[in-house]
Amino acid sequence: MASSQPPQSLPRHVAIVMDGNGRWARKRLMPRGVGHKAGVDALVKVVQATADRGIGHLTVFAFSSENWKRPEEEVSGLMSLLLVALSKHLTKLKADGVRIRIAGDLDNVSEKVRNALRDAEANTIGNSRLVLTVAFNYGGRWDIVQACKQALAEGVSASELTEEVLSRHMAMAYAPDPDLFIRTGGEVRLSNFLLWQSAYAELHFTDCLWPDFDAEELDRALAAYARRERRFGDVGESGLGEGAIGSEGGH
Ligand code: IPE
Ligand code: IPE
Ligand code: MG
């Protein structure tokens, strides 16, 4: 299905809130950690499928700045799982041309986790087939505040502070804004993910729990995206024609 779409209907950047691991495990009468582990397996496959479809950027929400509120056992389980997942999958991801980048506040995670994430970034710096950004200890509000702080530290004055200046300081300044924002797990909210960057993202919510999300689900989201008409505040294709009384209707 994805291959029959004209190239411009393919998003350049897909962002995913990988939600539903806990419910996936509960359905199987298993501890939540089993769901998180299955979530890593799903991610590895979705990374491959995204790269195969020629999408250049995939950003995934792995741990939010609010997830520290969870029981200490779950938080430490997630930290350990991250370390295990990196050591298990990094070599293959590197061989597949994936560049890993991290978005989030790494000053406030353990040194071990911080080093593992920085190593993964350094290790894959030469790759460009797919940029996989792992949002870790990330929050959209944190991102906006840290961008303001950076701009202030650079001496940017109030009159010089524009959207472009702030964009340059956001954690993902290297990537185009997400075109397609997917949330699995049935909740219809943003949960503080990429607030600034998703201003004009197309939103796709699915009940599919993250560990069940696969290439087929990705294609469903891409097909839904391809049917959307993006307007960015303009009148759009469908607005032209009926409304075009004068000559200045188009741009
Ligand atoms: C998302 O799954 C993974 C993380 C937040 C780390 P959840 O753990 O939120 O799963 P549910 O929403 O409880 O099912
Ligand atoms: C968002 O999911 C964070 C991640 C997927 C990492 P949550 O499960 O934390 O979101 P809420 O609490 O349901 O809003
Ligand atoms: Mg959740």
Side-chain angles (χ1 to χ4, degrees):
M1 190 177 263
S3 56
S4 64
Q5 293 166 10
Q8 68 269 26
S9 66
L10 198 65
R12 287 190 299 166
H13 182 177
V14 175
I16 309 183
V17 178
M18 308 183 291
D19 196 24
N21 296 349
R23 279 162 285 163
W24 184 92
R26 199 192 318 137
K27 264 171 67 179
R28 288 163 180 75
L29 307 176
M30 310 253 239
R32 294 175 61 83
V34 176
H36 293 315
K37 203 157 168 283
V40 172
D41 297 338
L43 176 59
V44 171
K45 289 185 193 135
V46 170
V47 168
Q48 193 63 60
T50 307
D52 288 348
R53 279 149 187 75
I55 294 163
H57 286 270
L58 174 66
T59 301
V60 293
F61 209 2
F63 191 85
S64 80
S65 28
E66 289 75 35
N67 286 148
W68 297 105
K69 294 176 190 165
R70 296 188 178 203
E72 138 73 23
E73 193 193 331
E74 180 168 355
V75 171
S76 62
L78 283 165
M79 298 297 155
S80 310
L81 181 62
L82 174 78
L83 297 174
V84 171
L86 283 174
S87 67
K88 189 170 164 197
H89 298 290
L90 190 59
T91 310
K92 173 87 164 65
L93 289 170
K94 186 177 177 181
D96 289 342
V98 176
R99 176 170 182 180
I100 295 178
R101 303 194 70 153
I102 311 301
D105 180 7
L106 293 195
D107 291 344
N108 291 306
V109 301
S110 75
E111 200 180 344
K112 213 167 169 186
V113 165
R114 180 166 54 247
N115 289 342
L117 290 171
R118 290 291 175 229
D119 282 352
E121 284 189 311
N123 224 301
T124 57
I125 203 164
N127 282 342
S128 57
R129 183 165 168 243
L130 172 74
V131 178
L132 169 65
T133 299
V134 179
F136 199 85
N137 196 18
Y138 178 89
R141 289 179 173 182
W142 164 83
D143 199 0
I144 293 166
V145 171
Q146 71 78 30
C148 292
K149 283 183 175 167
Q150 272 192 51
L152 289 174
E154 257 178 29
V156 172
S157 68
S159 62
E160 290 163 339
L161 189 65
T162 60
E163 291 183 15
E164 285 68 31
V165 169
L166 209 53
S167 287
R168 279 208 300 278
H169 292 94
M170 300 300 294
M172 297 186 58
Y174 52 83
D177 283 345
D179 301 298
L180 174 59
F181 180 117
I182 300 173
R183 182 175 185 138
T184 64
E187 310 295 352
V188 187
R189 55 180 172 250
L190 305 180
S191 297
N192 201 16
F193 192 40
L194 300 176
L195 298 181
W196 174 275
Q197 299 86 341
S198 297
Y200 270 100
E202 294 295 330
L203 307 178
H204 179 81
F205 297 96
T206 169
D207 288 336
C208 177
L209 302 173
W210 174 250
D212 293 327
F213 195 88
D214 56 9
E216 207 178 301
E217 287 288 339
L218 177 68
D219 283 340
R220 250 194 280 282
L222 292 174
Y225 173 82
R227 289 192 296 269
R228 305 274 178 91
E229 186 196 359
R230 305 188 78 189
R231 299 200 191 104
F232 301 99
D234 204 340
V235 290
E237 295 287 308
S238 55
L240 292 176
E242 317 129 48
I245 298 160
S247 55
E248 75 266 31
H251 295 276

